[in-house]
Amino acid sequence: MKLSLSVLALSLALAGCASIPPDTQPLPQQDLATIQLAADIHLASEGWPAAQWWRQFQDSQLDQLIEHALSSSPNLEVANARIGSALSAFDARHADRGPRVDLGANANRQRYSGNGLMPAPIGGNYYNEVTVGVQAHYDLDWWGKHKAQIAASLGEVNARRAEYAMAEQMLAAEIARHYFSMQSGWARMDNLHALVKLQQQLVTDKEKRIANGLGVSDDHLSAQTRLSLLQQQIALLETQIVTEREALRALLGADSSALASLQPKEAQALPHALPGKLGMELLARRPDLQAARWRVQAAMSTIEAAQAAFYPDIDLGASFGLDAIKLGKLLQSGSRTLFIGPALSLPLFDSGRLQAQLAGARSERNELIADYNQNVFNVVRDVAQAGAKVQGVENQLRLQEENLRASEAQLRNANARLKQGLADRATQLNAEMTVRGQVDLGMQLQNQRQNAEINLNVALGGGYRGSSDFADTASTSKRSTQQ
């Protein structure tokens, strides 16, 4: 009979709950399995970028710079602080899920009205009342409201961690770009100085030919102009090297002597390794996409918590204490008080507050899904553009190498004709300068290829291995938190 009454009471309570409005405009989430690159983006061998992708360049100086930056750069402090804020919110939600025990004590002196409900001798007299008690509360969370709130907080924690990983990747990429730009500047500087020497020799040769009546002043002026242009390039390159150095120093958060030990190092062009298929396995490596996905999952949990608010809230409470109107009787057995029992809160009419909260949670979910879907296409764009850039630079390098070989062949012919007296010194100098010009172009293309490789590694997620399963990560994080 008691069981039947309990079931009936519960049924009536559920019937009296505010009705949950249907979700009429859910936004579909982009399916990663259907995402592919365009057919003209040709990918090479299978493989993923390593987490420390910069080590593929085999440059110990670059490795040390990035390791130093990742351990102490001010650029990561904001992202790290955001993780701390998210963890604090998660801990607060997790603490709300557990039982609560409070100790309370109260002492007061009160005069009771002689004309009130209390008759004499209480009415019309002063009495001291002392109360000491322990109260315990536990929310049974029948509808999973607290569980959903914890899951939403955990989703935000993981999103912040993914954002931190993205900040690390972007920091490493910026350091690598500025470092390689410095190295390219140093290498080009040596080549440009060699070009200046050759051009000065050519100017001298023109002056001698004019002095001997074998040349014209226009040729001499043209040679002087080219010499000035080369010297201008050197000045611009010197400024660029200083600018890159200061940008690199700012990224490291280091003093003026931090980069004094850097030495020129010849670049090693390495073959890139691109995946043959663009799908969920690849896109899940992007930290920014992973962060967007975690926020969508957190929004789903927020909706679950908002829906649970429509159901009765059952709270189990207990209280044990001592209450006496005289301090001397407080510790006597007759002063004991005891209470235990459930408390039920049932939403019947709230002027649409619950519906508004649920609608807001659903709107935020749609906003985050739209952001996620856009991020998916942004990732595809980034990978496609980075892959196309690598391919384009490699094609340019192949053509440049052919031009360099042709220029070197012309230089050999010019040297041979000069020895045989069939060509003048100016012809040989021009041929050697053409070779130096091709070398300078090759250095610029090599730097472009390095930047393209960096962009490609970042576009591929930089080897980031975040969790792809919400439930597994949630349980793992919960266990680590409890420990």
Side-chain angles (χ1 to χ4, degrees), residues 291-327:
R293 179 181 175 275
W294 275 111
R295 288 201 165 92
V296 170
Q297 295 285 357
M300 299 291 190
S301 298
T302 301
I303 291 176
E304 293 179 6
Q307 290 175 340
F310 283 78
Y311 297 109
D313 187 13
I314 302 176
D315 183 16
L316 184 63
S319 175
F320 171 78
L322 300 170
D323 184 31
I325 61 174
K326 291 184 178 181
L327 183 60

Side-chain angles (χ1 to χ4, degrees), residues 399-415 417 427-441:
L399 295 174
Q400 185 271 332
E401 288 173 358
E402 293 176 2
N403 293 334
L404 177 60
R405 287 193 293 268
S407 300
E408 290 173 341
Q410 291 178 352
L411 177 60
R412 289 192 295 270
N413 293 336
N415 288 331
R417 290 196 302 271
T427 301
Q428 189 270 342
L429 288 174
N430 282 321
E432 188 172 354
M433 290 181 65
T434 300
V435 172
R436 287 286 181 178
Q438 286 296 325
V439 170
D440 184 70
L441 177 59

Side-chain angles (χ1 to χ4, degrees), residues 116-434:
L117 294 177
M118 295 292 183
I122 296 179
N125 292 305
Y126 286 91
Y127 287 91
N128 297 324
E129 184 177 10
V130 181
T131 303
V132 178
V134 176
Q135 295 182 344
H137 298 273
Y138 180 70
D139 192 336
L140 297 178
D141 197 27
W142 279 21
W143 319 113
K145 177 180 178 180
H146 291 301
K147 182 180 179 181
Q149 290 174 338
I150 291 173
S153 298
L154 180 59
E156 183 61 24
V157 170
N158 287 324
R160 296 290 175 86
R161 286 173 174 166
E163 288 177 344
Y164 184 88
M166 191 66 187
E168 285 185 321
Q169 293 298 326
M170 298 305 295
L171 177 61
E174 282 299 304
I175 290 175
R177 290 189 189 101
H178 291 297
Y179 173 79
F180 285 131
S181 181
M182 282 185 61
Q183 290 289 351
S184 176
W186 284 335
R188 289 189 61 206
M189 185 72 73
D190 292 339
N191 190 64
L192 285 175
H193 279 300
L195 269 170
V196 166
K197 290 180 179 179
L198 292 173
Q199 188 65 33
Q200 287 173 339
Q201 294 178 31
L202 187 60
V203 170
T204 302
D205 180 78
K206 297 296 183 184
E207 292 173 349
K208 290 181 179 179
R209 292 177 66 85
I210 292 175
N212 294 325
L214 301 175
V216 294
S217 60
D218 288 347
D219 292 341
H220 179 260
L221 291 174
S222 178
Q224 282 281 16
T225 301
R226 290 186 61 188
L227 178 61
S228 297
L229 290 175
L230 287 172
Q231 292 171 338
Q232 183 181 4
Q233 289 185 42
I234 290 177
L236 290 174
L237 196 56
E238 288 175 344
T239 302
Q240 177 184 334
I241 291 173
V242 173
T243 301
E244 297 294 341
R245 183 196 67 196
E246 292 306 305
L248 186 59
R249 189 165 65 87
L251 290 171
L252 295 174
D255 56 26
S256 58
S257 62
L259 304 178
S261 61
L262 286 184
Q263 298 294 327
K265 183 178 177 62
E266 184 178 356
Q268 297 189 17
L270 302 177
H272 62 273
L274 295 175
K277 182 179 180 181
L278 179 65
M280 185 173 182
E281 297 81 2
L282 171 61
L283 297 182
R285 299 296 179 91
R286 280 284 295 250
D288 53 346
L289 188 63
Q290 191 78 319
R293 179 181 175 275
W294 275 111
R295 288 201 165 92
V296 170
Q297 295 285 357
M300 299 291 190
S301 298
T302 301
I303 291 176
E304 293 179 6
Q307 290 175 340
F310 283 78
Y311 297 109
D313 187 13
I314 302 176
D315 183 16
L316 184 63
S319 175
F320 171 78
L322 300 170
D323 184 31
I325 61 174
K326 291 184 178 181
L327 183 60
K329 295 183 178 181
L330 180 64
L331 300 180
Q332 296 180 2
S333 59
S335 299
R336 293 175 298 171
T337 62
L338 177 64
F339 166 80
I340 184 171
L344 184 142
S345 175
L346 178 64
L348 295 178
F349 177 76
D350 63 352
S351 300
R353 292 180 180 87
L354 293 179
Q355 286 87 346
Q357 291 174 2
L358 180 58
R362 287 171 174 172
S363 297
E364 183 178 3
R365 173 207 58 194
N366 288 343
E367 180 182 349
L368 292 171
I369 289 178
D371 182 64
Y372 172 83
N373 291 342
Q374 184 60 54
N375 283 340
V376 169
F377 291 105
N378 290 344
V379 169
V380 177
R381 176 204 63 199
D382 292 345
V383 174
Q385 290 180 342
K389 183 66 174 179
V390 170
Q391 292 173 192
V393 174
E394 287 182 341
N395 291 334
Q396 294 180 63
L397 277 170
R398 281 192 291 269
L399 295 174
Q400 185 271 332
E401 288 173 358
E402 293 176 2
N403 293 334
L404 177 60
R405 287 193 293 268
S407 300
E408 290 173 341
Q410 291 178 352
L411 177 60
R412 289 192 295 270
N413 293 336
N415 288 331
R417 290 196 302 271
L418 181 63
K419 291 180 180 179
Q420 297 172 2
L422 301 177
D424 56 11
R425 176 63 173 163
T427 301
Q428 189 270 342
L429 288 174
N430 282 321
E432 188 172 354
M433 290 181 65
T434 300

Side-chain angles (χ1 to χ4, degrees), residues 55-102:
R55 293 188 178 275
Q56 67 177 317
F57 295 107
Q58 300 180 10
D59 191 326
S60 59
Q61 292 184 135
L62 176 62
D63 296 343
Q64 293 174 2
L65 290 174
I66 294 180
E67 288 173 4
H68 174 76
L70 294 182
S71 63
S72 60
S73 173
N75 290 37
L76 299 178
E77 292 178 357
V78 175
N80 193 40
R82 288 173 178 169
I83 293 177
S85 298
L87 282 172
S88 298
F90 170 77
D91 291 339
R93 288 295 187 185
H94 196 272
D96 289 340
R97 178 66 180 88
R100 187 178 80 249
V101 179
D102 300 321

Side-chain angles (χ1 to χ4, degrees), residues 441-464:
L441 177 59
M443 291 177 180
Q444 296 181 58
L445 289 175
Q446 285 289 355
N447 186 234
Q448 292 180 24
R449 187 183 191 279
Q450 289 169 332
N451 287 332
E453 290 281 354
I454 294 170
N455 294 336
L456 181 59
N457 279 283
V458 174
L460 293 175
Y464 175 68

